[in-house]
Amino acid sequence: MKRTLMLVALLGGSAVAQAAQTGVLTIRFLDVGQGDAVLITAPEGQSMLYDGGRSQPRMRTLLQQYGVKSLALVAASHADADHITGLVPAIELFKPKLFLNNGLAANTNIFGKLTATAARVGTQGLLASGRVINLGSVKVTVLPPPVGMPKNDQNLNSVGLLIEYGTFKALMTGDSETAETQGWLKAYPSPFLGPVDVYKSIHHGAANGDNLPWLTAVRPKNVVVSVGPNNYGHPTEKALGLYRQAGATIWRTDQQGTITVQVQPGGEYTVTAGKAGTGAPVRPTGPVPALPRTVPVPAQPPAPADTSYPNCAAVRAAGKAPLLRGQLGYRAGLDRDGDGRACE
Amino acid sequence: MAEEREELGVSYVVVDGIEGRMARVELPDGGTEDWRLASLPSGVQEGDVIRIDVQAGDVEIKIDHEETDRRHALGQRQLDALNAGTPDGDINL
């Protein structure tokens, strides 16, 4: 126990290089603001990125910050911009062997840029199907969209991943909604799905994602909500209530920064959190179940549901100038030179 | 002082996602913004291309179904080509 706790103290909170540690699987739920991005590194050093968040510069910074040297595979749970934008620089930088996707194109320019970049660097598309990807000694099972999902709905065609290492399980299912989770419940036996040690909250804690029948099967011990300032009310009280009802510890990237999971060969794991590079406090929960997993989410006022400034005078009056593209309240009308910095 | 008005002409935005009463749109410069769903044409769906025409202070905004279909077909062709060599079976990395 003492050794494990020391390990936690040494590993947590700092911008640890991504170099593989002997026998340790590392999963980082990256702090990308409102969006998803999960960096997974096998004990043998192979890495993959599941979603890339909504900002190319931010992803570049994070990949550098965590010392990523290579990516074997990138995956898009689905084609929404807050999941795929950061995959573009990831592919440019590391030319991964494979790009896992749901096979449904989006109309956006960023999606076109993603496929063009993959084609240019020689990354092979990998249509999601029920197969296993062995990332070194880590078993990654692909959960393709169930049969019958409408092809014009990206969320309902999210690609899921089940990650297993020893007795450890992690599950992530993009922005899927109830119809898709119902399909998965029919396709997979309950013991296959759960219990999972770490679970990525569906759709940043939206009201139309996680639901009771699904969470009853998944039985998450830790839920990571990947979320940032947003106008959508994410995470919703409904979703947070479901996670509490499941008895899960809730982790939030908007409040705690990047959430890091370190898994030992047998499956024993620790979860830590901290703003990258700040040496922020560590919140160990493991080893599980030797230590209590009740880590309260810090009480902070929720992000405003909507922030809109009529003009730059209002932005300056609020002390928010300059507003950067992607920040709450930014809009092109306030950014006269279009350089991404409004009300300079 | 009167604010300088700039004529924009025709521009296109793409509805990347709909989140409740908000729509996340991709702007011509590649950035994204959240717009109120009510500010977009009735019946708008994810993936729709919106044509915005600003002339002499008048704004016309509508779903451009033709452009939507064109972009979708192009994007799907590119993705299909990328996936064409998808390997079979389990994969070792």
Side-chain angles (χ1 to χ4, degrees), chain B residues 67-81:
Chain B
E67 183 66 8
T68 299
D69 292 344
R70 189 191 71 79
R71 291 195 191 193
H72 185 261
L74 174 63
Q76 194 62 54
R77 275 201 305 275
Q78 290 172 332
L79 182 60
D80 290 346

Side-chain angles (χ1 to χ4, degrees), chain A residues 80-153:
Chain A
D80 284 357
D82 56 332
H83 293 252
I84 64 167
T85 302
L87 294 182
V88 174
I91 290 176
E92 281 174 341
L93 285 167
F94 298 116
K95 302 175 177 57
K97 183 178 179 183
L98 296 166
F99 164 48
L100 176 65
N101 63 84
N102 66 3
L104 300 177
N107 286 357
T108 51
N109 294 317
I110 190 64
F111 187 80
K113 188 175 180 183
L114 177 64
T115 53
T117 303
R120 178 167 52 81
V121 304
T123 294
Q124 170 64 55
L126 180 64
L127 185 60
S129 62
R131 72 171 89 215
V132 169
I133 298 170
N134 294 302
L135 189 71
S137 54
V138 179
K139 182 181 177 185
V140 179
T141 303
V142 178
L143 277 59
V147 175
M149 293 297 109
K151 297 304 179 190
N152 62 348
D153 189 312

Side-chain angles (χ1 to χ4, degrees), chain A residues 57 88 134 168 229 282 296 328:
Chain A
V88 174
N134 294 302
F168 172 87
V282 180
L328 215 58

Side-chain angles (χ1 to χ4, degrees), chain A residues 46 80-81 101 103 105 107-110 123-127 131-134 136 203 231-232 234 306 325 331-332, chain B residues 3 16 19 24 26 29 31 33-34 36 47 68 72 75-76 79 82-83 85-93:
Chain A
Q46 302 92 327
D80 284 357
N101 63 84
N107 286 357
T108 51
N109 294 317
I110 190 64
T123 294
Q124 170 64 55
L126 180 64
L127 185 60
R131 72 171 89 215
V132 169
I133 298 170
N134 294 302
H203 199 172
N231 296 319
Y232 321 132
H234 298 168
D306 188 14
R325 181 179 292 132
R331 59 187 174 88
Chain B
E3 191 170 334
D16 175 62
E19 305 276 1
R24 184 177 53 253
E26 183 188 60
D29 69 357
E33 278 186 355
D34 293 330
R36 293 185 191 284
T68 299
H72 185 261
Q76 194 62 54
L79 182 60
L82 198 62
N83 285 340
T86 291
D88 295 326
D90 293 349
I91 291 169
N92 296 312
L93 296 174

Side-chain angles (χ1 to χ4, degrees), chain A residues 118-239:
Chain A
R120 178 167 52 81
V121 304
T123 294
Q124 170 64 55
L126 180 64
L127 185 60
S129 62
R131 72 171 89 215
V132 169
I133 298 170
N134 294 302
L135 189 71
S137 54
V138 179
K139 182 181 177 185
V140 179
T141 303
V142 178
L143 277 59
V147 175
M149 293 297 109
K151 297 304 179 190
N152 62 348
D153 189 312
Q154 284 287 342
N155 286 357
L156 285 174
N157 285 277
S158 291
V159 177
L161 294 181
L162 178 69
I163 297 166
E164 296 174 86
Y165 186 53
T167 59
F168 172 87
K169 274 186 172 183
L171 179 64
M172 40 203 84
T173 58
D175 281 1
S176 51
E177 298 175 10
T178 302
E180 186 170 25
T181 58
Q182 284 174 336
W184 278 326
L185 286 173
K186 288 179 186 168
Y188 299 108
S190 184
F192 171 80
L193 293 168
V196 299
D197 301 293
V198 176
Y199 173 72
K200 189 198 73 65
S201 164
I202 291 180
H203 199 172
H204 328 290
N208 61 357
D210 280 300
N211 54 84
L212 189 56
W214 173 248
L215 288 177
T216 300
V218 170
R219 290 174 284 163
K221 295 172 185 168
N222 293 274
V223 176
V224 179
V225 187
S226 185
V227 68
N230 67 88
N231 296 319
Y232 321 132
H234 298 168
T236 60
E237 191 50 45
K238 177 187 174 188

